[in-house]
Amino acid sequence: MSHSILSALSEDLLVRVYGFLDPPCRKTWRLVSREFHRVDSLSRTSIRILRVEFLPALLFKHPNLSSLDLSVCPKLDDDVVLRIALDGAVSTSRLKSLNLSRATAVRARGLETLARLCRALERVDVSHCWAFGDREAAALSVAAGIRELKMDKCLSLSDVGLARIVVGCSKLNKISLKWCMEISDLGIDLLCKKCKDLKSLDVSYLKITNDSVRSIALLPKLEVLEMVSCPLIDDAGLQYLENGSPSLKEIDVTRCDRVSSSSLISIVKGHPDLQHLKASHCISEISLSFLHNIKALKHLKTLWIDGARVSDSSLLTLSASCRALTELGVSRCVGVTDIGMMGLARNCSNLKALNLACCGFVTDAAISAVAQSCLNLESLQLESCHLITEKGLQSLGCYSKRLQELDLTDCDGVNDRGLEYISKCSNLLRLKLGLCANISDKGIFHIGSKCSKLLELDLYRCAGFGDDGLAAISRGCKSLNRLILSYCGELTDTGAEKIRQLEHLTHLELRGIKNITGTGLAAIARGCKKLAYLDLKQCENIDDSGFWALAYFSRNLRQINLCNCSVSDTALCMLMSNLSRVQDVDLVHLNRVTVEGFEFALRACCNRLKKLKLLAPLRFLLSSELLEVLHARGCRIRWD
Amino acid sequence: MEPEDDLCQNNWGGSSSSSSSKRREQDLVHLMVARNGQLQGRQEQLVAQQQLITTDLTSIIIQLISTAGSLLPSVKHHNMSTAPGPFTGSALFPYPREANNLASQTLNNNNNNTCEFDLPKPIVVEEEHEMKDEDDVEEGENLLPGSYEILQLEKEEILAPHTHFCTICGKGFKRDANLRMHMRGHGDEYKTPAALAKPNKEAVPGSEPMLIKRYSCPFPGCKRNKDHKKFQPLKTILCVKNHYKRTHCDKSFTCSRCHTKKFSVIADLKTHEKHCGKNKWLCSCGTTFSRKDKLFGHIALFQGHTPAIPLEETKPSAPRGSSACENSNNNNTGMVGFNLGSATNAIEEVAQPGFMDGKIRFEDSFSPLSFDTCNFGGFHEFPRPMFDDSESSFQMLISSACGFSPRNGGESVSNTSL
């Protein structure tokens, strides 16, 4: 018997072998035999649920899960949670990490049940739940073991809710409060008083004042502090950090308008071990005293000074002293020229990421120097560097073998020859060529034939590129999952027919492509089964046949933009009712859809929608019941 | 020191000066004067005493300096915040009186061997606590003993609703002015300016300045009673009344809003009622605060205390549709067709008698369930080979698009189906 050799393997051996597999291979593994399947079920530790219907069964099947991701699961609400809780067979006691991002319909009752159910819970993500408020926070605080908590954009959360969490989960060592606009100094102060173990804190975009910084400075173990765009914090506040938070390793004060270099100097003085300093768009000039103090940071790895005036000499001084630098952001810096960049390249050979976006004076010489010296370079952003030509790209292709990310958006000098050189960077994962007017199918062909690892390709408004190029991409870049083709006017149904070969595609933007019709969309829908995001805005020539196919095949579609499409009442209803995972829909300027059509379509999907964009007049035309149900289910409506 | 006790004992009026620091200074002066006036024969003793005094004084001076020093940063800070500008070194004590007060306070504390001044005591800042006796905080009045006259009203007098009675008809009044107004009705003789004028006024132009009047509380053992060792007099009759009611009477006025707070002075109740129920910041321990920062300060102080979320918010003014969503019954909008594994159709589930009460609610509120149950004429469901999870509400295939009539509103459809 052929299976005998497999059955000879003992279970612990199988488990060990299974441990070496990549996630895609595990899927195949499951299908080998009953025994293999069992090993998979028992060994699996993390899972991402796509459909709520299967949640109880999956939880039952995988008893050893430690991480559960429910962020893309539609129709998840309190009742589902309660049913799981009532189902005794499901074991959740080992669950450590829970992702409830965008689960807007899970409210206090469900959260409390979950918190009680998962006793070992350590990491929770409730970001982007706009309905997450104080009551929900109080429910979550039952899980006293939480160490990491992400609450970005919990718009209803106030100081009271934060206080509940702070008191309930005193072991917190990482918390993100980005965009929790209701949080004030009082909440931050209490957080800092109660959670002394805090290592990472994100207070970006909050309306907090210097008082908060004073409280934060008292945290003894704080290592990472992110305070992007805190408009009320000024130098006097940052001064508190000079002698506070002794173990600070990383600070981000990007776009803090009232912060100047004097307070950064004081932070640097107080923390000679600082590794990451991110101060984009907050200091206007790199002063001598700033440079002098930066020099003392021997362990500095990341420096973002985007938007500041940087002279060549200061870049030279900087690079001469901070040789450990691996990441430098000097985008939009006035004064960055080849001389400075060449000096930098010579000194900082460990550089891995370099952002030169909008540095208009940088030429091929600088790029060549960087490519030749910094052999570890992984990410290079050259957006709007108009002086860069194929010569610079040639050296990139020759030397930067580790390059993974390259942004050439809006670089006029990039042509087909340049793309040919770039294609030698065979490890490229993300390539952005938006607004490059001088590239054609020939150049894209090189990319498609050599960059087989490519995951993301942006060809926004590349007017010179058409179906043949797309065919090459579809043939070569099989693992592509994000493709942006918006406003590539040359593309037709023939090209769309090629896209269907990209099986792993999850994100596709086809905005404004007039030549794609229903046939093309049908082909895409048939081929790209994993498609989760689709932008069809202003694709005016797609008729209902395309939408029907989409409704039938694209079961994983989560977000769709249908603005200005000529979709009919029936097709819209079909889409909305059959796309059982759809959560985010833009339905603006649909000329062929009547009010009844909208009403019908929305009623069909109202229990899974989380975000919706509609024309403002519809607010008074749709039934109030529908709007109430949408609201109660946690759906946000943007009236355009 | 013995002489102090003597001084204190022989005149109770001596302790009447409320600030004991003054007393202490007086004592020192007395002591020194007395010692100086002594006979030469007790020279050695005098030297010893003087040494004692000098050490005492030195320690006082040191204390004073250190207090001033500790005060300086805060004063400076205050100064900066109020009027930005360079802090001039010449103004060592921008607030000399304050500094002196503090110094005397430390001196005082030194005397009592307590150190209350420096220690930040964990004080629970309760917002709506007992109304403070305003007359208790009476400070800085350093009247010499015997420089004022002490009056003591009896309990009945204090509690009497009226204190001014008409000699003709016997009607009572709270205020003398009202009585005088009333008297005008009894004849023209009461209408003269002299009769209407304030009785006190006429005494003022007299040759001898009037002795200041102070009041004593009739309650024995009370600090405001003149027999108390550390007697502190009350300034006015009103003070006496309020003090007596607040301290020695039952609290008979209950707040009509919270039904918990009680007061014996009706004015206190009115003050409380103004704030009662407004912006209630409630702690899990039951303490309430009118200000959020006070609540947060409280929470920061105590382990395990959390802000309580007011109960009335438990049921937010939910729209009609959401009531179906939030109720925990098996069938509601959220759970439409959500059958765990089983392939039973939603309509069958509804038809079961056990779910009837859930269904009744559905008929009046909107529910997509009704869509599930209806068959849209020409529409048919897509054949679903892979996931037939029966959650496909409203799934249809356009076999003949003509069958679709958008005029069919949700309501009419649901009516036909039910």
Side-chain angles (χ1 to χ4, degrees):
Chain A
M1 292 288 278
S2 61
H3 68 263
S4 59
I5 182 141
L6 294 178
S7 58
L9 294 169
S10 67
E11 194 169 297
D12 56 322
L13 270 176
L14 282 180
V15 171
R16 283 194 68 178
V17 174
Y18 179 84
F20 290 108
L21 294 179
D22 295 331
C25 307
R26 291 180 180 182
K27 221 171 188 174
T28 330
W29 167 283
R30 274 207 290 274
L31 304 173
V32 174
S33 73
R34 216 173 274 269
E35 189 63 16
F36 276 51
H37 193 274
R38 213 174 74 83
V39 166
D40 174 69
S41 298
L42 293 177
S43 318
R44 187 146 187 180
T45 54
S46 77
I47 194 165
R48 182 167 136 134
I49 307 281
L50 300 183
R51 281 164 203 276
V52 80
E53 302 82 52
F54 305 134
L55 176 60
L58 284 169
L59 285 181
F60 177 69
K61 220 165 95 182
H62 303 287
N64 293 324
L65 283 183
S66 70
S67 162
L68 177 63
D69 185 349
L70 297 168
S71 60
V72 291
C73 191
K75 299 210 287 182
L76 181 73
D77 59 13
D78 285 355
D79 298 286
V80 177
V81 173
L82 289 178
R83 282 203 181 188
I84 291 167
L86 289 175
D87 190 352
V90 172
S91 117
T92 46
S93 54
R94 295 189 184 199
L95 219 54
K96 282 187 178 165
S97 166
L98 184 59
N99 190 342
L100 288 169
S101 180
R102 291 176 215 277
T104 45
V106 179
R107 302 283 167 85
R109 213 154 40 91
L111 277 171
E112 190 169 347
T113 315
L114 274 175
R116 289 193 193 286
L117 212 58
C118 313
R119 268 157 287 158
L121 215 53
E122 284 182 5
R123 282 182 301 279
V124 178
D125 184 347
V126 286
S127 51
H128 302 280
C129 295
W130 62 272
F132 186 98
D134 295 342
R135 202 163 295 285
E136 283 71 27
L140 191 62
S141 69
V142 171
I146 294 181
R147 287 168 193 276
E148 289 178 25
L149 184 55
K150 201 171 171 193
M151 303 205 282
D152 299 1
K153 235 174 191 172
C154 287
L155 293 174
S156 316
L157 182 76
S158 80
D159 288 336
V160 171
L162 180 62
R164 293 296 294 240
I165 289 197
V166 159
V167 172
C169 321
S170 52
K171 291 178 187 166
L172 272 181
N173 60 31
K174 184 173 181 180
I175 188 166
S176 174
L177 297 167
K178 208 188 261 184
W179 285 303
C180 294
M181 302 309 279
E182 299 288 310
I183 300 288
S184 73
D185 286 340
L186 286 176
I188 300 294
D189 183 53
L190 191 69
L191 172 73
C192 299
K193 277 181 183 152
K194 293 278 181 182
C195 301
K196 288 288 180 196
D197 293 337
L198 218 55
K199 283 186 179 163
S200 169
L201 175 62
D202 191 338
V203 289
S204 301
Y205 304 96
L206 299 192
K207 299 273 181 291
I208 52 171
T209 66
N210 292 342
D211 292 344
S212 285
V213 187
R214 183 166 52 193
S215 313
I216 290 169
L218 297 175
L219 285 171
K221 297 181 183 169
L222 192 71
E223 288 174 8
V224 181
L225 175 59
E226 311 230 7
M227 33 191 283
V228 177
S229 198
C230 290
L232 301 180
I233 289 176
D234 58 23
D235 286 344
L238 285 188
Q239 302 278 352
Y240 292 121
L241 288 173
E242 177 172 354
N243 297 316
S245 302
S247 40
L248 200 66
K249 296 272 184 300
E250 176 173 348
I251 184 163
D252 190 346
V253 288
T254 298
R255 284 194 298 280
C256 287
D257 298 335
R258 292 165 68 182
V259 167
S260 77
S261 54
S262 72
S263 57
L264 288 180
I265 289 171
S266 65
I267 292 176
V268 167
K269 269 185 192 162
H271 302 92
D273 291 334
L274 202 69
Q275 292 180 1
H276 308 275
L277 178 59
K278 301 176 182 173
S280 307
H281 306 289
C282 80
I283 45 177
S284 56
E285 197 168 10
I286 302 298
S287 61
L288 276 177
S289 54
F290 181 72
L291 268 180
H292 181 74
N293 283 288
I294 285 282
K295 271 202 276 184
L297 300 177
K298 293 294 171 210
H299 305 289
L300 193 68
K301 286 182 181 160
T302 308
L303 181 63
W304 291 0
I305 43 170
D306 310 59
R309 181 179 294 276
V310 186
S311 67
D312 289 333
S313 59
S314 53
L315 260 186
L316 287 173
T317 331
L318 185 77
S319 56
S321 49
C322 307
R323 284 168 183 271
L325 215 58
T326 55
E327 195 176 337
L328 180 65
V330 285
S331 68
R332 290 178 197 278
C333 283
V334 186
V336 172
T337 66
D338 287 348
I339 302 164
M341 285 322 293
M342 282 151 88
L344 179 89
R346 207 168 42 244
N347 288 322
C348 302
S349 53
N350 292 321
L351 217 56
K352 282 187 180 167
L354 180 60
N355 187 351
L356 287 171
C358 304
C359 291
F361 299 110
V362 171
T363 69
D364 292 331
I367 301 302
S368 302
V370 168
Q372 283 170 31
S373 313
C374 311
L375 296 176
N376 292 324
L377 201 67
E378 286 173 5
S379 165
L380 183 59
Q381 323 262 340
L382 297 171
E383 184 183 341
S384 295
C385 293
H386 296 294
L387 299 179
I388 287 172
T389 66
E390 58 197 66
K391 279 185 193 157
L393 301 181
Q394 184 175 18
S395 31
L396 273 182
C398 285
Y399 299 103
S400 301
K401 291 298 175 196
R402 297 191 183 174
L403 201 64
Q404 293 180 358
E405 187 176 355
L406 182 60
D407 186 352
L408 292 170
T409 307
D410 200 14
C411 290
D412 297 337
V414 176
N415 54 16
D416 290 339
R417 180 66 65 81
L419 287 188
E420 188 182 346
Y421 294 134
I422 289 172
S423 67
K424 289 179 187 160
C425 304
S426 52
N427 284 315
L428 218 52
L429 300 179
R430 279 173 285 275
L431 180 59
K432 294 190 179 178
L433 298 170
L435 295 163
C436 291
N438 297 324
I439 56 176
S440 70
D441 288 339
K442 225 170 119 188
I444 297 293
F445 176 80
H446 291 294
I447 299 289
S449 55
K450 289 190 189 139
C451 302
S452 56
K453 291 182 181 172
L454 216 56
L455 295 176
E456 186 180 332
L457 182 60
D458 183 352
L459 293 166
Y460 179 83
R461 282 191 201 273
C462 289
F465 139 87
D467 292 337
D468 295 337
L470 198 54
I473 295 288
S474 307
R475 254 197 323 274
C477 314
K478 284 291 180 196
S479 45
L480 209 63
N481 59 33
R482 202 178 149 95
L483 182 59
I484 297 168
L485 299 171
S486 298
Y487 305 105
C488 294
E490 301 283 301
L491 292 181
T492 65
D493 281 348
T494 325
E497 192 74 33
K498 306 293 182 201
I499 296 178
R500 66 178 291 187
Q501 296 172 15
L502 298 168
E503 285 178 1
H504 295 288
L505 209 61
T506 57
H507 182 112
L508 180 60
E509 295 185 25
L510 298 172
R511 201 177 273 214
I513 303 181
K514 312 277 183 203
N515 296 331
I516 286 190
T517 66
T519 327
L521 184 60
I524 292 170
R526 213 168 284 138
C528 311
K529 289 274 169 62
K530 288 187 178 175
L531 211 57
Y533 177 97
L534 183 60
D535 189 344
L536 297 174
K537 189 174 177 177
Q538 293 171 357
C539 291
E540 289 155 4
N541 290 318
I542 296 179
D543 56 13
D544 279 0
S545 67
F547 293 116
W548 292 343
L550 200 65
Y552 184 68
F553 291 108
S554 294
R555 297 219 181 89
N556 284 311
L557 209 60
R558 203 161 65 229
Q559 188 173 351
I560 187 165
N561 187 341
L562 292 173
C563 299
N564 296 79
C565 281
S566 60
V567 63
S568 71
D569 273 344
T570 41
L572 187 66
C573 290
M574 286 261 300
L575 275 173
M576 291 302 114
S577 57
N578 282 291
L579 296 176
S580 55
R581 285 193 57 216
V582 81
Q583 293 169 34
D584 186 338
V585 196
D586 278 20
L587 301 174
V588 180
H589 298 297
L590 304 185
N591 297 329
R592 288 181 60 199
V593 180
T594 61
V595 175
E596 286 82 2
F598 275 116
E599 175 89 24
F600 233 41
L602 291 176
R603 283 193 174 211
C605 62
C606 64
N607 59 352
R608 47 185 181 259
L609 279 191
K610 288 175 183 170
K611 239 173 155 184
L612 176 63
K613 191 171 168 186
L614 290 172
L615 272 183
L618 278 174
R619 183 180 221 153
F620 308 103
L621 299 172
L622 293 174
S623 73
S624 56
E625 288 157 332
L626 172 66
L627 297 181
E628 279 166 10
V629 171
L630 281 172
H631 182 81
R633 297 288 306 178
C635 175
R636 290 212 102 177
I637 307 178
R638 236 181 86 195
W639 302 100
D640 198 33
Chain B
M1 281 190 255
E2 326 87 59
E4 188 184 323
D5 282 337
D6 292 342
L7 275 166
C8 270
Q9 264 170 4
N10 59 23
N11 60 330
W12 52 263
S15 57
S16 67
S17 60
S18 59
S19 111
S20 52
S21 67
K22 187 87 177 187
R23 200 177 67 224
R24 176 94 173 96
E25 282 163 38
Q26 278 175 3
D27 293 346
L28 273 170
V29 172
H30 274 276
L31 186 78
M32 288 168 80
V33 169
R35 293 298 173 196
N36 282 342
Q38 293 275 319
L39 290 171
Q40 307 294 314
R42 300 169 70 182
Q43 196 69 34
E44 305 93 31
Q45 213 179 339
L46 183 69
V47 170
Q49 286 287 348
Q50 270 178 339
Q51 271 178 347
L52 243 170
I53 291 161
T54 39
T55 47
D56 219 28
L57 276 173
T58 339
S59 76
I60 289 165
I61 289 162
I62 289 167
Q63 285 241 351
L64 197 89
I65 291 166
S66 70
T67 317
S70 69
L71 202 65
L72 204 56
S74 68
V75 167
K76 187 177 173 180
H77 188 75
H78 187 232
N79 199 25
M80 296 266 279
S81 64
T82 48
F87 181 69
T88 49
S90 63
L92 194 64
F93 288 111
Y95 306 103
R97 191 169 293 159
E98 246 180 65
N100 277 347
N101 274 349
L102 279 164
S104 65
Q105 219 172 330
T106 40
L107 194 147
N108 199 359
N109 289 333
N110 192 33
N111 195 19
N112 298 336
N113 278 332
T114 54
C115 215
E116 293 177 356
F117 173 60
D118 283 313
L119 278 177
K121 252 174 117 182
I123 304 158
V124 190
V125 196
E126 228 177 285
E127 195 51 31
E128 275 149 14
H129 52 55
E130 293 299 297
M131 285 290 161
K132 260 219 177 102
D133 251 310
E134 287 120 41
D135 22 42
D136 269 341
V137 232
E138 178 184 306
E139 55 195 313
E141 205 201 20
N142 300 326
L143 288 175
L144 286 170
S147 67
Y148 55 88
E149 181 188 358
I150 295 168
L151 301 173
Q152 183 169 302
L153 287 89
E154 284 316 305
K155 183 189 165 192
E156 289 72 26
E157 266 183 289
I158 292 171
L159 296 179
H162 303 133
T163 46
H164 305 277
F165 295 95
C166 174
T167 47
I168 296 163
C169 66
K171 191 170 182 197
F173 295 92
K174 278 184 181 174
R175 295 171 216 275
D176 186 48
N178 293 353
L179 172 64
R180 274 179 273 129
M181 284 293 144
H182 163 83
M183 295 301 278
R184 291 187 308 173
H186 286 303
D188 285 342
E189 66 265 39
Y190 299 108
K191 290 182 181 168
T192 58
L196 284 169
K198 257 192 179 177
N200 288 2
K201 286 274 168 71
E202 39 197 282
V204 173
S207 58
E208 214 177 283
M210 252 205 36
L211 209 59
I212 306 166
K213 281 180 190 162
R214 286 294 177 264
Y215 298 87
S216 158
C217 169
F219 197 87
C222 173
K223 202 181 179 184
R224 305 301 200 165
N225 184 272
K226 62 188 179 194
D227 297 327
H228 193 270
K229 209 175 167 185
K230 293 177 176 176
F231 171 60
Q232 288 183 311
L234 293 153
K235 262 185 185 170
T236 63
I237 297 182
L238 193 67
C239 291
V240 178
K241 284 186 166 184
N242 283 344
H243 160 78
Y244 194 84
K245 283 184 192 165
R246 281 172 185 150
T247 336
H248 311 301
C249 291
D250 287 337
K251 294 173 177 177
S252 45
F253 304 109
T254 315
C255 172
S256 58
R257 296 194 193 203
C258 62
H259 299 290
T260 46
K261 286 276 174 189
K262 289 181 177 176
F263 303 91
S264 48
V265 177
I266 198 146
D268 293 351
L269 171 71
K270 282 179 181 163
T271 321
H272 162 78
E273 277 184 336
K274 263 185 213 163
H275 302 288
C276 182
K278 270 187 208 165
N279 295 332
K280 271 229 161 157
W281 295 98
L282 178 68
C283 177
S284 56
C285 69
T287 323
T288 56
F289 303 84
S290 70
R291 278 168 54 182
K292 190 179 172 188
D293 54 335
K294 300 287 176 197
L295 168 66
F296 274 69
H298 168 86
I299 288 163
L301 273 177
F302 295 98
Q303 274 301 324
H305 288 214
T306 60
I309 295 165
L311 274 171
E312 52 263 41
E313 273 179 41
T314 337
K315 294 161 205 148
S317 51
R320 217 148 41 91
S322 77
S323 66
C325 291
E326 282 176 6
N327 101 53
S328 60
N329 282 346
N330 282 326
N331 280 308
N332 60 36
T333 358
M335 297 303 297
V336 171
F338 174 38
N339 301 328
L340 302 172
S342 74
T344 46
N345 206 348
I347 191 162
E348 288 171 18
E349 209 174 303
V350 173
Q352 286 169 19
F355 299 101
M356 277 314 282
D357 32 359
K359 191 189 162 198
I360 288 156
R361 206 192 326 276
F362 271 20
E363 287 165 357
D364 54 352
S365 74
F366 162 74
S367 146
L369 178 72
S370 32
F371 287 97
D372 282 349
T373 57
C374 69
N375 198 1
F376 290 101
F379 304 114
H380 302 288
E381 287 198 345
F382 272 147
R384 290 258 165 177
M386 285 161 66
F387 323 98
D388 203 359
D389 45 40
S390 79
E391 48 104 34
S392 51
S393 60
F394 208 75
Q395 282 170 357
M396 51 197 177
L397 175 69
I398 313 297
S399 53
S400 53
C402 55
F404 179 76
S405 57
R407 263 178 285 115
N408 271 5
E411 250 49 70
S412 60
V413 170
S414 62
N415 284 342
T416 53
S417 72
L418 286 168

